[in-house]
Amino acid sequence: MDIFEKLEILSDAAKYDASCSSSGSNRKNLNSGIGNGNFAGICHSWGADGRCISLLKILFTNSCIYDCKYCINRCSNNVKRATFTPREVADLTINFYKRNYIEGLFLSSAVIKNPDYTMERLVETVKILRNEYNFNGYIHCKTIPGCSKDLIDKLGNLVDRMSINIELPSNNSLKLLAPQKEKDGILVPMTYISNNIKTNKLDKNKFKKDFVPAGQTTQLIIGATPESDFKILKLSENLYNKLKLKRVYYSAYISINNDKNLPTLESPPLLRENRLYQADWLLRFYGFKVDELLNEKNPNFNTILDPKCDWAIRNLDKFPIEINKADYYTLLKVPGIGIISAKKIIRARRNNNLNFEDLKKLGITIKRAKYFITCRRKIF
Amino acid sequence: MSNWKLINKTYIYDGSFDGLLSTIFKCYFEKTLPQKLYSKNNYIENFLDKTEFIKTDYEKSKRIFDAIPKLISIETLKNIYYAFLSNDKEKDINILNYICNGFDIGSEINNKIILSYVFKTISLRKKVLSECHKLKGLLRFQEIGENFCYSKINPDNLILEPLRTTLYKKTS
């Protein structure tokens, strides 16, 4: 099997991984190597399905020992199998990078033999890239659940971002659909990485090297199990607050396999995925809490209105808000005003008392916001 | 802006960044603001305009270049540099107003985005940088010989200069 055939199989197998974007990493060009990571993020070009393709996204191998019911690469499926060697992946990355096709590498893998063996292969690949080719670009690597802490340390010192996929949001679902995986096998390494990042940041002089500078992420599958949006978001909130994750990705479940425990969906629940992402942004940047958005009585999102608008309509007593007086987080609660608009308003009102005309001049769309705000105590 | 005199003239400069800074120098020391300002290539002749050609003087432009970070802020210098690279036809007069006003009130000018010329300059910068950002990712190179890579682009704004540093780091 030649390398292009392998590439075809393994890049196709990686398309179900949603979590590829970079942020928060600023790696300088060192030792006259090539490339540098970029703080602003990498997603430049977009695939036909709207996901970014600017990272070289491949699996190291797709011959897996596990039999997770939802996965295309489970061992009981009859698909073409292929495995790269570490050098092949490194060569591919460098060649694509020099032609400006990619900005970095997103390396995931199925589990061959055992978790530790797989992790060793991944570490070797990244080592070749960083030490031999002096590649200073962005690398995102998946951690295999259940591998040893020693290997996590080694990998963490080389890559920009690490991630462990939780996939199923509760222990019961995990037992049902991925019986060989354990909740502890996922959460223990996550906690370990997050603690390491914390100690590394506290004592930079001692370690000299950054440990996973772009933070860690995870991915959840939406719609394969009966968990409600409320439960999923609660989990995300805990991950953000306790483990300081950079992002949680939500991936709508796509029916590929047939199994009595799996639901048969005609189309993936993309609207639900979208609503969860919207709510996720509200949690991270807008100062919302999960309990404000959802509760036990209505555990799922409105399909017609987005989460913020839905919240505003349920809390009409908090409006209208005076643009010239409200603080940053109050401004953010107005539907139609985002982070950029709120910052613009705060900057502009230091010198002027704003009215609706001024808001239009600043390029703020008030199509939705006009029902919730007043300017100089006047409504629109 | 009260002590500035508006004069009914159209200034024309040679289209270089130094030329623009020389124009700013002239306006600042004469305390006069022209009604219109164009680069040589963008100007369409009009017999109602009283035109005056501003000669590029590198010493004068250097003085303005050094003065902007001191008297206003380094952010302002970046704003006008990137706005200058855009293909907008009204950019020159907006930049002139922005800087001349900036010399009067200092770094606070960057917060006065309610003023149309400040807002336009800042949005032009954004436009240029976003195109630059797109091309950083979408540019594809072909190998046409040993150690030669080739790619063809057709950008709206003059973004080769900001692009250069990134691509240089990538291939060196």
Side-chain angles (χ1 to χ4, degrees), chain A residues 121 176 312 360:
Chain A
R121 306 282 91 188
L176 196 69
K360 272 184 195 164

Side-chain angles (χ1 to χ4, degrees), chain A residues 165-180:
Chain A
N165 285 359
I166 296 182
E167 308 288 19
L168 298 168
S170 76
N171 209 7
N172 287 344
S173 320
L174 214 57
K175 264 182 200 153
L176 196 69
L177 296 182
Q180 286 139 313

Side-chain angles (χ1 to χ4, degrees), chain A residues 5 9 24 47 56 87 134 250 348 360 363:
Chain A
E5 204 175 333
I9 295 168
L56 174 63
R87 184 149 306 267
N134 271 336
Y250 308 96
K360 272 184 195 164

Side-chain angles (χ1 to χ4, degrees), chain A residues 34 44 99-100 347 350, chain B residues 110-111 140 143 170 172:
Chain A
I34 50 172
H44 291 298
R99 285 168 178 76
N100 206 25
R347 230 175 127 183
R350 282 187 206 154
Chain B
N110 292 339
N111 289 333
R140 299 285 181 261
E143 232 168 352
K170 188 161 252 192
S172 64

Side-chain angles (χ1 to χ4, degrees), chain A residues 35-52:
Chain A
N36 56 338
N38 194 338
F39 191 80
I42 283 170
C43 295
H44 291 298
S45 54
W46 305 268
D49 55 355
R51 283 180 178 153
C52 89

Side-chain angles (χ1 to χ4, degrees), chain B residues 42-89:
Chain B
N42 281 342
Y43 182 62
I44 300 163
E45 206 130 326
N46 181 349
F47 75 77
L48 289 175
D49 289 348
K50 280 185 214 161
T51 55
E52 185 180 338
F53 188 82
I54 313 285
K55 253 178 101 180
T56 304
D57 187 331
Y58 290 102
E59 229 164 77
K60 286 175 182 171
S61 78
K62 176 110 192 356
R63 274 176 73 183
I64 292 289
F65 190 84
D66 293 339
I68 291 172
K70 262 186 223 159
L71 296 176
I72 312 174
S73 70
I74 190 86
E75 196 62 26
T76 311
L77 188 60
K78 280 183 191 164
N79 283 345
I80 64 159
Y81 172 65
Y82 287 117
F84 172 78
L85 295 179
S86 79
N87 65 345
D88 193 271
K89 286 198 174 106

Side-chain angles (χ1 to χ4, degrees), chain A residues 362-380:
Chain A
L362 290 177
I364 295 165
T365 43
I366 53 170
K367 191 181 150 205
R368 261 192 305 172
K370 66 187 175 192
Y371 303 108
F372 300 95
I373 55 174
T374 58
C375 286
R376 299 184 190 161
R377 296 193 189 158
K378 280 181 194 141
I379 53 169
F380 187 72

Side-chain angles (χ1 to χ4, degrees), chain A residues 164-290:
Chain A
I164 305 173
N165 285 359
I166 296 182
E167 308 288 19
L168 298 168
S170 76
N171 209 7
N172 287 344
S173 320
L174 214 57
K175 264 182 200 153
L176 196 69
L177 296 182
Q180 286 139 313
K181 283 187 185 167
E182 280 169 14
K183 188 178 149 203
D184 283 347
I186 298 165
L187 285 181
V188 169
M190 267 177 128
T191 330
Y192 180 72
I193 294 173
S194 113
N195 287 340
N196 262 5
I197 294 174
K198 218 160 121 193
T199 42
N200 184 289
K201 269 188 187 152
L202 282 174
D203 206 348
K204 273 208 160 163
N205 290 337
K206 187 181 152 196
F207 293 102
K208 291 199 175 128
K209 254 184 178 179
D210 280 342
F211 186 83
V212 197
Q216 59 168 336
T217 62
T218 190
Q219 176 183 320
L220 298 171
I221 296 175
I222 307 303
T225 45
E227 275 90 10
S228 64
D229 291 347
F230 181 61
K231 214 171 170 189
I232 292 168
L233 271 188
K234 264 279 175 206
L235 175 67
S236 309
E237 196 184 34
N238 277 331
L239 290 173
Y240 287 134
N241 291 342
K242 286 180 187 154
L243 297 182
K244 304 280 176 228
L245 252 69
K246 268 280 151 78
R247 272 191 77 172
V248 176
Y249 290 85
Y250 308 96
S251 162
Y253 170 68
I254 305 166
S255 288
I256 357 173
N257 301 333
N258 288 322
D259 194 280
K260 64 178 193 309
N261 288 329
L262 282 172
T264 42
L265 304 172
E266 275 178 24
S267 61
L270 292 176
L271 181 68
R272 202 173 160 206
E273 185 188 294
N274 184 20
R275 287 277 176 267
L276 279 167
Y277 273 123
Q278 285 172 332
D280 191 78
W281 249 254
L282 294 181
L283 293 184
R284 285 185 296 143
F285 300 113
Y286 290 72
F288 276 91
K289 299 225 160 50
V290 178

